[in-house]
Amino acid sequence: VTTPPSFATSFSKFFTYAVEQATTTTQQAVAAISPAMAGGEDTVLSSSKVPMQYALEALAFVQDLHSQPATDGWTVVSEKDFPVRRRVYPEISPVIPVHKGEKVIEGVAAEEIASVLKSYDCRKQWDTRFDSVNMLEAYGADAHTAFMVMKGGFPFRDRGFYVSSLIARETVPPPASRRNAAEAEQLSSESRAAIFYVSASFSPESVNHFA
């Protein structure tokens, strides 16, 4: 099915707003650092890592992020419509902050939202920056590599990204800070089912090893 659910229009608005907020604060961070680091030289993508390893590392990061209290150490960027927060994680980048947006979408199941996120046909409907994608290799269970083109917008050129993506599902208990020993017995009933959809860049040199 390529037609997005009725909430796709609202989702597009929220997503676009969150990306704009993240882009603005990221540009401010880049402008404040040296040209060498602004060029991305603090991050090296190695072909010695298989592409899916980058996706698995991203998954481990967001799983850990999801289990932490929502506001600890985070700076509010905006609270309008789509609350956006930022925080620097040195293991990700010592300069460029990680951004996190949150929005409760009522009336739809998480599985429906996940299906819209992972469908490239649907993405053309809700992501105004998305241009095209070429699948490279698929490994089953929604794990795959692809070359994705994002629109740059005048006066910038479009940009291409080699990305590895996957979906994972797990039951996540409430953070320890939200419960005490007496609440531990209710842990299973309070656990939340979480769906993680991650994409991470990998080294362009890795495509030489693809079938």
Side-chain angles (χ1 to χ4, degrees):
V1 179
T2 58
T3 303
S6 58
F7 67 83
T9 301
S10 295
F11 185 79
S12 175
K13 180 183 69 174
F14 294 138
F15 178 82
T16 300
Y17 178 78
V19 170
E20 288 174 350
Q21 294 297 316
T23 300
T24 299
T25 54
T26 297
Q27 288 173 338
Q28 292 171 349
V30 170
I33 61 180
S34 68
M37 293 191 71
E41 294 179 14
D42 59 323
T43 302
V44 178
L45 300 174
S46 173
S47 60
S48 64
K49 286 185 181 181
V50 295
M52 291 309 300
Q53 183 174 343
Y54 284 105
L56 290 170
E57 290 174 355
L59 174 62
F61 176 76
V62 296
Q63 285 177 318
D64 184 57
L65 201 63
H66 188 66
S67 66
Q68 298 174 7
T71 57
D72 283 7
W74 292 86
T75 301
V76 175
V77 175
S78 173
E79 292 186 302
K80 177 184 176 183
D81 292 331
F82 199 130
V84 178
R85 295 180 173 86
R86 68 182 179 190
R87 178 179 174 181
V88 172
Y89 282 87
E91 65 270 30
I92 302 298
S93 171
V95 177
I96 306 300
V98 172
H99 287 75
K100 177 173 68 173
E102 298 176 322
K103 182 66 179 180
V104 175
I105 303 178
E106 299 179 347
V108 293
E111 287 285 354
E112 292 180 282
I113 296 176
S115 68
V116 170
L117 287 174
K118 72 178 183 179
S119 169
Y120 290 119
D121 287 332
C122 283
R123 185 160 183 170
K124 295 176 182 178
Q125 305 295 320
W126 59 263
D127 187 353
T128 58
R129 293 171 174 79
F130 180 76
D131 182 78
S132 60
V133 66
N134 287 316
M135 297 283 288
L136 300 175
E137 289 195 336
Y139 311 106
D142 294 313
H144 66 275
T145 54
F147 179 73
M148 183 184 305
V149 178
M150 304 296 287
K151 298 175 183 177
F154 182 83
F156 303 104
R157 297 171 59 185
D158 294 350
R159 298 187 65 189
F161 299 88
Y162 287 98
V163 295
S164 54
S165 306
L166 59 83
I167 287 182
R169 295 165 175 82
E170 72 172 11
T171 299
V172 181
S177 61
R178 297 183 188 175
R179 64 179 188 269
N180 53 39
E183 295 173 328
E185 296 179 0
Q186 302 175 356
L187 185 59
S188 59
S189 63
E190 294 180 355
S191 295
R192 298 168 295 161
I195 302 174
F196 300 99
Y197 175 47
V198 300
S199 290
S201 295
F202 65 86
S203 172
E205 296 177 2
S206 295
V207 300
N208 295 330
H209 307 297
F210 286 178

